[in-house]
Amino acid sequence: MGNGAIRRVRAWLELGAEAVGAGLLAATFLAFVVQVVFRYVLDNPLGWTLEACLTLWIWLVFWGGAFLLGPRDHVSFDMLYEACNTRVRRVLALISSLSIVVAFAVSLPATWSFISFYSIQDSATLGIRMDYVFSVYALFAVGTILRYGWRVVCLLRGDPPDPVVTTP
Amino acid sequence: MTLSFGLCLAALFVLAAIGTPLALAMIVSAVVYLAMKGQDLGLAAEQIIQGLYNSFLLLSVPLFIVAANIMNAGTISDRLLKFCMALVGRFRGGLGHVNVVANMVFAGMSGSAVADAVGLGKIVIQMMTQGNRYPRGYAAAITAAASTIGPIIPPSIPMVLYALVSDTSIGYLFLGGILPGILMGIVLMMLNYRVARRRNFPVDTAVPMRELPALTVRAFPALLMPVILLYGIYGGATTPTEAAAVAAAYALLLAALFYRALSFRALYDILYESTRASASVGLVIGGALILNYIVASENIPNVVAHAMDGLHVPPLAFLLALNVLFLLLGCLLDATTLILVIVPLFVPTCRALGIDMIHFGVVIVVNCMIGLITPPYGIVLFVLNAITGIPLREIIAEIWQFIAVLVAALLIMILFPEVVLWVPQMFGYAGK
């Protein structure tokens, strides 16, 4: 597969991740509207909407955290970082990224056993297995390890410490 | 304080200071703590997942974000500005007043200062700086200052977060913000009036009074939004989270059908941007929840309460000292972290001293909002700098006077709790 093909696949994946994120939010919003309409207009409250919203909400946060937020999109305190020259920045970025990778990697097995422990429980109204509901955190943890691991590789290879900002 | 907790704090401060994303820095330091304690490392994930999954109140956060973004994208801000222009544009420093009043009205629809600064701010600053009528630093500074009213007049994302950590009623908190928000608007307009006279800012041609009814009609559906929202919550009709959904749905209907200012593509972009914003706020909330768990298991809040009890500090002195501390922390930390991590440390002390938790909550949220515009770390200043290109130096040179009057307003709220509590009491709040 050539470079062009890889880039195209990547672009498609990114678009897909975006669409899933936007879809999750749209679904949360819709479920709420359904809930409000059924409870207040039709006077026939639904039980499942609440649970659907809570499930969608954690999926939205961790999906977004795993695939939609680059290092520069997070809330961060970057004044010191910005004030440093490129060499110091590279070191700081390396320390940040490495600590993230190590902490997430070290806690991954325990995290996974916490999630898989919930396979014995189904959710209250929709009856979805809770380990499926919570599994998005594992996605987030693995996504974070990969993203920052790749950043470590790039920094060591000599790429500039500031990732290219792709979104305005 | 145990060694594990000390190391956890050290990791947090070092990582945060060198620019590590705050949410991830909090998770990393939590893992450090658990490892040192020899506890299950999966606890970090457990706390963050359960914390987010079990809080129905937090669901209002993405919905308020969507509502604000929809209103920014449609022509709603535009119509509001025209309405405010007709209302207060005729006075000296008119556009400054328009800026403040528009922010107060907009505050009734959005719960985030940054959203207000981005949406309204961009347009108002353009209007003010056209033909060099106002110094651009001044235009940006008054916009920044006015945007802090956004989360004080309900709805308010920071107040939702405060309600979460302090276990107080979000309804009464929202009501408690109404008068303080108006007070902040008044002090900003007084300052603007003085500065405009002293520096001889231009007077705009007055919009003829006979046009006011038409402009009001055009802005009316947008002006109705806060009414719907407040009625929903205080009429007891909906929960605050449902009210947030209704608000977002109403904004969508207005923008798409009534004002016809929203394409499908634009809607997709709004959803995508709101998802990113919600995820980034959600992760910070999650990170703060783990830290809360650690702070609680170290029994820090009770230690603080006990120490304060021994000192026999009068409640007012404690409140004043705490506000000074928060103003200083606000120069460095962001509001979400302050409210979720630092506030819980002092909640037991406040209760022990008999300080009203609604009063305390509103005061602290106002304080944290002032923190959004205090250099060196003032997120609203950065946002305005990024979207308008006005140099930070010029904004900062003008911002101090606004910070001074806002702190004066804060002092009034601290000294006279009635400013906060009068409205909630009218709606049946019994106090404490």
Side-chain angles (χ1 to χ4, degrees):
Chain A
M1 203 157 55
N3 260 342
I6 293 176
R7 222 173 292 137
R8 264 202 304 280
V9 170
R10 222 189 124 152
W12 275 108
L13 285 177
E14 273 170 11
L15 273 181
E18 277 180 21
V20 171
L24 285 168
L25 187 59
T28 314
F29 185 27
L30 273 182
F32 251 108
V33 171
V34 169
Q35 171 173 325
V36 171
V37 168
F38 269 80
R39 184 188 294 185
Y40 300 106
V41 182
L42 305 176
D43 203 16
N44 176 23
L46 299 172
W48 61 267
T49 46
L50 179 58
E51 190 192 305
C53 287
L54 287 168
T55 306
L56 287 163
W57 159 237
I58 63 169
W59 270 76
L60 184 146
V61 169
F62 295 121
W63 183 272
F67 304 117
L68 306 179
L69 299 177
R72 311 286 285 167
D73 302 320
H74 281 283
V75 180
S76 54
F77 178 79
D78 45 13
M79 246 177 21
L80 270 179
Y81 182 83
E82 298 281 344
C84 297
N85 62 32
T86 316
R87 269 187 49 191
V88 181
R89 275 191 203 186
R90 185 188 306 282
V91 176
L92 296 182
L94 259 176
I95 297 174
S96 300
S97 308
L98 263 178
S99 338
I100 294 170
V101 172
V102 170
F104 274 84
V106 167
S107 57
L108 192 60
T111 301
W112 182 248
S113 78
F114 157 72
I115 293 171
S116 49
F117 168 74
Y118 274 91
S119 63
I120 52 166
Q121 196 185 332
D122 287 346
S123 70
T125 53
L126 292 173
I128 307 172
R129 268 173 53 180
M130 289 308 283
D131 56 336
Y132 294 165
V133 174
F134 292 164
S135 64
V136 67
Y137 188 89
L139 221 55
F140 164 67
V142 172
T144 305
I145 293 171
L146 291 178
R147 189 188 280 272
Y148 289 89
W150 179 239
R151 195 159 175 235
V152 169
V153 173
C154 292
L155 286 166
L156 288 176
R157 227 173 35 185
D159 289 3
D162 287 326
V164 182
V165 179
T166 45
T167 43
Chain B
M1 193 165 78
T2 58
L3 175 66
S4 330
F5 186 58
L7 280 174
C8 165
L9 284 185
L12 178 64
F13 284 127
V14 170
L15 287 175
I18 64 171
T20 313
L22 204 58
L24 301 178
M26 291 195 274
I27 297 176
V28 173
S29 55
V31 171
V32 168
Y33 175 82
L34 295 171
M36 289 296 296
K37 275 266 180 184
Q39 284 180 314
D40 179 8
L41 296 183
L43 261 177
E46 182 173 349
Q47 287 298 322
I48 186 171
I49 295 172
Q50 298 282 15
L52 290 177
Y53 188 70
N54 290 327
S55 173
F56 185 55
L57 195 56
L58 280 180
L59 276 172
S60 61
V61 172
L63 296 169
F64 282 138
I65 292 176
V66 177
N69 281 347
I70 291 176
M71 277 180 305
N72 279 340
T75 54
I76 300 179
S77 335
D78 226 26
R79 280 159 206 265
L80 277 181
L81 278 175
K82 288 212 177 85
F83 170 72
C84 297
M85 190 74 198
L87 215 57
V88 290
R90 63 193 71 244
F91 306 112
R92 185 167 292 281
L95 281 172
H97 295 308
V98 169
N99 197 335
V100 176
V101 173
N103 263 291
M104 285 166 71
V105 178
F106 209 70
M109 310 174 203
S110 108
S112 140
V114 173
D116 293 4
V118 172
L120 269 184
K122 202 174 169 180
I123 313 173
V124 187
I125 291 174
Q126 254 167 22
M127 286 164 65
M128 289 180 80
T129 51
Q130 240 164 33
N132 282 330
R133 291 191 300 169
Y134 290 79
R136 50 188 189 165
Y138 185 84
I142 192 171
T143 305
S147 76
T148 61
I149 301 173
I152 308 304
I153 294 180
S156 161
I157 294 176
M159 284 190 194
V160 168
L161 301 180
Y162 173 80
L164 185 76
V165 294
S166 66
D167 204 19
T168 39
S169 146
I170 184 68
Y172 288 136
L173 276 172
F174 276 7
L175 285 173
I178 294 176
L179 284 185
I182 294 172
L183 175 66
M184 288 161 78
I186 291 173
V187 296
L188 289 178
M189 284 168 79
M190 280 164 55
L191 174 67
N192 178 55
Y193 181 75
R194 256 189 59 133
V195 174
R197 286 187 65 120
R198 206 180 56 219
R199 288 164 60 174
N200 212 11
F201 287 158
V203 182
D204 282 279
T205 34
V207 178
M209 268 302 180
R210 65 188 137 74
E211 284 180 25
L212 193 59
L215 286 170
T216 314
V217 170
R218 281 166 55 85
F220 185 73
L223 293 174
L224 211 57
M225 171 94 142
V227 180
I228 295 177
L229 206 70
L230 290 179
Y231 178 76
I233 300 175
Y234 307 116
T238 57
T239 63
T241 316
E242 286 168 345
V246 173
Y250 182 70
L252 187 62
L253 277 181
L254 270 191
L257 300 177
F258 195 79
Y259 293 145
R260 293 178 188 283
L262 200 62
S263 64
F264 183 76
R265 177 74 222 178
L267 180 62
Y268 177 83
D269 288 341
I270 288 172
L271 283 172
Y272 172 59
E273 274 315 315
S274 308
T275 304
R276 279 159 47 99
S278 308
S280 117
V281 177
L283 284 178
V284 174
I285 296 173
L289 289 173
I290 319 177
L291 281 190
N292 274 340
Y293 165 79
I294 293 173
V295 164
S297 54
E298 290 280 315
N299 208 16
I300 307 281
N302 286 327
V303 173
V304 173
H306 197 72
M308 287 294 163
D309 199 36
L311 289 176
H312 298 290
V313 195
L316 184 62
F318 173 73
L319 205 52
L320 286 170
L322 203 57
N323 270 282
V324 172
L325 173 72
F326 269 75
L327 282 174
L328 292 175
L329 288 175
C331 299
L332 298 171
L333 293 174
D334 94 297
T336 313
T337 323
L338 268 178
I339 295 173
L340 288 173
V341 181
I342 312 290
V343 167
L345 298 181
F346 297 103
V347 164
T349 312
C350 288
R351 287 195 203 278
L353 289 174
I355 295 170
D356 186 281
M357 293 314 285
I358 300 288
H359 178 221
F360 177 67
V362 173
V363 164
I364 282 300
V365 171
V366 171
N367 189 316
C368 292
M369 292 308 111
I370 298 175
L372 295 179
I373 60 167
T374 38
Y377 188 73
I379 189 83
V380 170
L381 304 180
F382 298 158
V383 167
L384 285 177
N385 164 255
I387 61 172
T388 62
I390 299 173
L392 268 179
R393 197 168 15 87
E394 291 178 26
I395 308 179
I396 290 174
E398 299 271 11
I399 198 77
W400 296 110
Q401 48 192 340
F402 292 103
I403 294 177
V405 294
L406 286 175
V407 170
L410 176 67
L411 197 61
I412 295 175
M413 291 169 218
I414 297 173
L415 295 176
F416 305 99
E418 300 79 25
V419 177
V420 174
L421 295 176
W422 189 63
V423 180
Q425 278 161 355
M426 296 234 300
F427 281 78
Y429 176 60
K432 302 296 174 200

